[in-house]
Amino acid sequence: MTKRPTLLALFLLLIAGFGFAAPASAERIKDMGQFQGLRANQLTGYGIVVGLAGTGDDSLDYSTLGMKGAMSRFGMTLPAGVNPALKNAAAVMVTAELPPFSKPGQRLDITVSAIGKAKSLRGGTLVLAPLYGADGQIYAMAQGNLVIGGLGVDAADGSKLTVNVPSSGRIAGGATVERAVDTGFAYGDQLTFNLHQFDATNAQRVTDAINRAVGPGAATMLDGASISIRAGGSGDDRMRLMSRIENLEVIRAEPPARVIVNARTGTVVINGAVRVGTAAVTQGKLSVSVKESPTVVQPAPFSRGETTVEQSSEIGVDQEYRPVMMVKPTASLSELVDAINRMGVPPGDLVAILEALSQAGALTAELVII
């Protein structure tokens, strides 16, 4: 018996687990979507990291100009045409996310990444830098000592050792919120709940659950992904209503049948809703081998000939026979896995079989190539 590849065995074990139908369980509405407006806002800024042990980017004009600007805030001015050669400083981009309902004075975690050729930011300190939103307004100020998870070492002979990425790091609580974002939850007479994925059945079930808990007509479907909820009163009343709705439980509808194929890694994921029609599948393996056996030919004595090499090639073709497998109509995922398992195909050939089944109209699933 041919031993199947370990990767194929692990793959079949993974998808076989999906083949056994589990009883439907209720999920909280908060796990199926979120209220409109409850979103994070991206912040970005430019800054200077100082205190590096000669691992900065001395040739980058951005870091030189940035350091001149930082020094000018303290009344220090460099003469025109003087390059400070900042090997102990680096120009960086600072990024952060401003969570909803953030208030001035709260702290944010920030990520600091080198712009130029700085080898490492280990041991560096970020100088006070403003963080801007998409509207160009300053929402936070960042400063602090970096924590670097990477390591870079250069030897005198040119050899290098790099662990992870030493040119990027984080500062826990490194930014202070200076401006709040108005979410609009304190006023208005409607709330909108958006599902993570479009599904009309799930939207209907969520709407029905809200109407049963809050009252008839409290929620209406706008489309297959959005639900409008009647809300009023003060901000406290609205937040209490949101908390109540988020913790309601709904039985999620069975997802659409999909086969996801990652063409780069060969990963295949099949959900439990996949079915196949009647189909006959065979998969063969053709191997071609070429063996070169060059022979050295010597000339006869005193013939003034030249030594030559005579080529000798041997070509062999080996075609492995595998029987045709019959797939039953409306087969479940477990039956499909059993059929593929009996064929003993590797993951690469499995993708080809699934594509062929889809082209033949025998695969009742959406084939998604990512």
Side-chain angles (χ1 to χ4, degrees):
M1 179 181 292
T2 304
K3 185 177 180 182
R4 299 182 181 88
T6 303
L7 178 60
L8 177 61
L10 292 176
F11 164 75
L12 294 174
L13 180 62
L14 173 64
I15 63 175
F18 294 105
F20 300 96
S25 58
E27 297 185 22
R28 297 175 303 175
I29 289 181
K30 67 164 53 177
D31 298 325
M32 301 175 64
Q34 66 179 21
F35 284 94
Q36 185 170 301
L38 290 181
R39 47 156 294 182
N41 291 276
Q42 287 71 37
L43 304 180
T44 307
Y46 167 82
I48 297 293
V49 171
V50 298
L52 305 178
T55 58
D57 42 17
D58 58 338
S59 63
L60 188 63
D61 291 339
Y62 283 21
S63 59
T64 302
L65 294 175
M67 182 54 67
K68 288 181 178 180
M71 295 173 63
S72 65
R73 294 201 296 265
F74 302 99
M76 302 176 62
T77 304
L78 291 176
V82 175
N83 187 343
L86 302 172
K87 294 195 67 175
N88 292 341
V92 296
M93 292 299 297
V94 186
T95 58
E97 280 196 354
L98 183 67
F101 303 113
S102 295
K103 300 299 186 292
Q106 292 181 333
R107 310 289 296 188
L108 303 175
D109 296 342
I110 61 175
T111 300
V112 181
S113 305
I115 298 177
K117 296 183 179 180
K119 298 178 181 178
S120 174
L121 299 181
R122 180 176 294 274
T125 299
L126 176 67
V127 180
L128 187 65
L131 300 183
Y132 297 87
D135 57 358
Q137 300 294 323
I138 296 177
Y139 285 88
M141 299 296 294
Q143 182 171 284
N145 299 322
L146 275 74
V147 176
I148 306 297
L151 175 65
V153 179
D154 294 347
D157 61 354
S159 58
K160 299 180 180 180
L161 173 64
T162 303
V163 180
N164 296 331
V165 183
S167 58
S168 179
R170 288 180 61 84
I171 304 177
T176 304
V177 178
E178 302 293 335
R179 183 195 301 265
V181 177
D182 185 11
T183 59
F185 279 94
Y187 45 86
D189 57 356
Q190 295 290 330
L191 294 174
T192 301
F193 185 82
N194 297 321
L195 298 176
H196 291 316
Q197 294 179 335
F198 171 85
D199 193 302
T201 304
N202 284 331
Q204 178 185 357
R205 294 182 180 183
V206 171
T207 302
D208 293 342
I210 296 174
N211 287 331
R212 286 193 300 268
V214 180
T220 56
M221 287 192 298
L222 300 178
D223 50 44
S226 301
I227 300 158
S228 177
I229 304 168
R230 186 176 62 242
S234 63
D236 179 76
D237 295 333
R238 297 165 65 86
M239 295 306 298
R240 289 181 183 275
L241 176 62
M242 290 172 55
S243 175
R244 184 180 180 185
I245 291 174
E246 283 183 339
N247 290 283
L248 296 176
E249 293 187 343
V250 174
I251 297 178
R252 184 189 291 268
E254 187 177 13
R258 283 196 179 97
V259 177
I260 311 299
V261 178
N262 190 320
R264 296 179 297 276
T265 63
T267 303
V268 181
V269 177
I270 308 173
N271 68 9
V274 174
R275 298 291 184 272
V276 294
T278 303
V281 180
T282 183
Q283 187 265 345
K285 182 178 181 181
L286 181 66
S287 300
V288 179
S289 60
V290 179
K291 182 180 179 181
E292 299 287 351
S293 303
T295 303
V296 177
V297 180
Q298 298 287 352
F302 307 107
S303 64
R304 296 184 180 181
E306 297 181 355
T307 302
T308 61
V309 177
E310 184 178 287
Q311 299 292 339
S312 176
S313 301
E314 181 180 352
I315 301 178
V317 178
D318 180 22
Q319 185 172 8
E320 181 180 350
Y321 170 75
R322 292 181 179 177
V324 178
M325 300 299 298
M326 187 69 179
V327 181
K328 299 179 182 180
T330 65
S332 66
L333 177 59
S334 60
E335 294 171 340
L336 177 60
V337 170
D338 290 340
I340 295 173
N341 194 13
R342 289 194 300 270
M343 294 180 65
V345 297
D349 293 340
L350 173 60
V351 174
I353 291 175
L354 293 174
E355 290 179 341
L357 285 173
S358 178
Q359 292 293 327
L363 184 67
T364 57
E366 180 186 2
L367 187 61
V368 181
I369 311 295
I370 61 175

